[in-house]
Amino acid sequence: MEDPAIQEATASDRLTLEEEYENQESWRASHDKLTFIICQPITPPPSNSVPILAGEVDAPEKMIGDVNFFLYPYDDDDDDTPGLCVGEVDIMIADTQDRGKGIGKAAVVAFLHYIFRNLDSVLAEYAQARDGDGSHQKLKMLMVKIKADNAQSIALFRGLGFTQEGDVNYFGEVKLVLREFGNITATIPDGYIELRYASDH
């Protein structure tokens, strides 16, 4: 995260290596965050019977960016239904040469499909960590916050059915939301496959 443009695009601060390790460890252990690293395509095409090996297809030189999902309570004075939460999505493609090729859209579509395939367990883990009793949680909506001048990212999420809510905020961002999930849950992305991940650690 040395690139100032990436820091600005992701609203991130420059961290020391030790701080970066601590940050990554907290993300791994957190029950209200889900993050996947986006890597270059696997060649030859993967098989369900062969696990993905850590350090090979996800080696540093093959990493392109990341896609993230954050859960937090839904807060609306007009709806006090208990157990509602918001899922915020964000994506970062680090290198400009990897942008504009459809990688971001493919990653977001596959990521959202994964989330909805596993939504019950994702929400159960969030509820257990938040309330300690595993109380039921329901996803009210998906949301993204995007810099108002990031036309490509805005177009990506609009194309998935997200609509803008409100005006540009103090930080120069627009908020887009998705409340109806039918199109996402009903369509399996082209080439979508979930693979096992094997690590020695």
Side-chain angles (χ1 to χ4, degrees):
M1 294 293 286
E2 295 289 333
D3 188 333
I6 296 177
Q7 291 173 11
E8 180 180 356
T10 59
S12 302
D13 296 320
R14 186 178 185 276
L15 302 176
T16 65
L17 183 59
E18 182 177 312
E19 289 171 334
E20 187 63 46
Y21 281 134
E22 290 175 357
N23 191 44
Q24 294 300 320
E25 182 63 31
S26 71
W27 276 54
R28 183 177 179 85
S30 178
H31 300 288
D32 59 0
K33 300 181 182 71
L34 184 64
T35 186
F36 282 179
I37 302 299
I38 304 170
C39 297
Q40 294 171 0
I42 299 171
T43 53
S47 165
N48 270 336
S49 61
V50 180
I52 295 298
L53 300 178
E56 294 185 6
V57 299
D58 59 350
E61 66 273 11
K62 297 185 178 182
M63 296 180 183
I64 296 174
D66 60 30
V67 59
N68 307 286
F69 186 64
F70 310 92
L71 284 167
Y72 46 83
Y74 177 71
D75 184 15
D76 189 325
D77 294 337
D78 295 329
D79 189 345
D80 57 0
T81 305
L84 295 179
C85 59
V86 176
E88 182 174 350
V89 181
D90 79 18
I91 181 170
M92 183 272 292
I93 303 296
D95 199 322
T96 54
Q97 70 180 10
D98 292 318
R99 300 174 192 169
K101 299 179 178 180
I103 295 172
K105 181 177 180 180
V108 170
V109 169
F111 185 58
L112 292 179
H113 185 71
Y114 173 85
I115 288 170
F116 280 99
R117 276 177 52 90
N118 298 279
L119 188 59
D120 288 345
S121 59
V122 170
L123 293 178
E125 182 177 340
Y126 167 69
Q128 181 67 40
R130 176 176 167 75
D131 302 322
D133 59 3
S135 59
H136 181 70
Q137 293 282 321
K138 181 178 180 181
L139 184 64
K140 176 70 175 180
M141 66 180 186
L142 296 175
M143 178 186 70
V144 292
K145 293 179 180 177
I146 305 171
K147 288 288 187 180
D149 60 358
N150 189 343
Q152 282 187 318
S153 190
I154 291 172
L156 187 164
F157 284 96
R158 284 190 185 278
L160 296 176
F162 285 71
T163 57
Q164 184 171 332
E165 193 172 86
D167 298 319
V168 178
N169 67 15
Y170 176 81
F171 300 102
E173 301 168 325
V174 294
K175 179 171 76 171
L176 286 79
V177 301
L178 181 69
R179 300 176 188 274
E180 299 294 333
F181 310 135
N183 289 341
I184 292 175
T185 57
T187 305
I188 300 176
D190 291 340
Y192 182 88
I193 184 173
E194 291 182 23
L195 304 173
R196 292 180 293 120
Y197 186 77
S199 173
D200 294 333
H201 303 292

